[in-house]
Amino acid sequence: MAKFVIKKDGSREAFDPKKIKNAIRAAAQSVNLPVSRVEELVEEISSPVLRLADSKEEIQTSELRDETLKELDMVEPQVSEAWRQHDRSKGEV
């Protein structure tokens, strides 16, 4: 499992898989998916993302984001679009 995440500004912090799950959960809740579907989606999407992180010592936050959005695009496009809209509203895309 990746020990560190490299943030956009170049800083490093300890890798926390919960942050990925929380981000997926927040995006899914923003489109009013039923709670049961939200939790199902969190597990479904976080698994391949965490497998990617397993293969590395360090990983860029952008790589985690891109992999998460790629998975969401295939499974729940409305959730990936909500994530992208949130990023745009923060000026991150």
Side-chain angles (χ1 to χ4, degrees):
M1 178 72 63
K3 293 179 183 171
F4 295 99
V5 172
I6 310 300
K7 301 184 69 117
K8 187 167 43 173
D9 67 3
S11 63
R12 296 171 57 191
E13 68 177 46
F15 177 72
D16 183 356
K18 291 178 192 170
K19 286 187 174 186
I20 294 167
K21 292 182 177 189
N22 289 341
I24 297 166
R25 187 173 290 115
Q29 289 171 337
S30 75
V31 297
N32 297 317
L33 289 180
V35 173
S36 60
R37 179 60 183 141
V38 169
E39 292 310 312
E40 189 178 274
L41 187 64
V42 166
E43 292 309 311
E44 185 177 353
I45 300 302
S46 65
S47 292
V49 176
L50 294 176
R51 275 195 302 276
L52 174 66
D54 275 345
S55 69
K56 303 176 179 252
E57 281 291 312
E58 297 181 337
I59 191 163
Q60 300 277 336
T61 54
S62 60
E63 193 174 0
L64 291 169
R65 176 190 177 278
D66 292 347
E67 184 68 16
T68 302
L69 288 172
K70 181 182 88 174
E71 295 294 327
L72 283 169
D73 284 340
M74 292 185 293
V75 177
E76 284 286 351
Q78 65 183 359
V79 176
S80 62
E81 182 52 32
W83 184 314
R84 287 181 176 97
Q85 284 180 337
H86 177 75
D87 284 353
R88 283 191 294 270
S89 74
K90 291 176 21 181
E92 293 186 5
V93 176

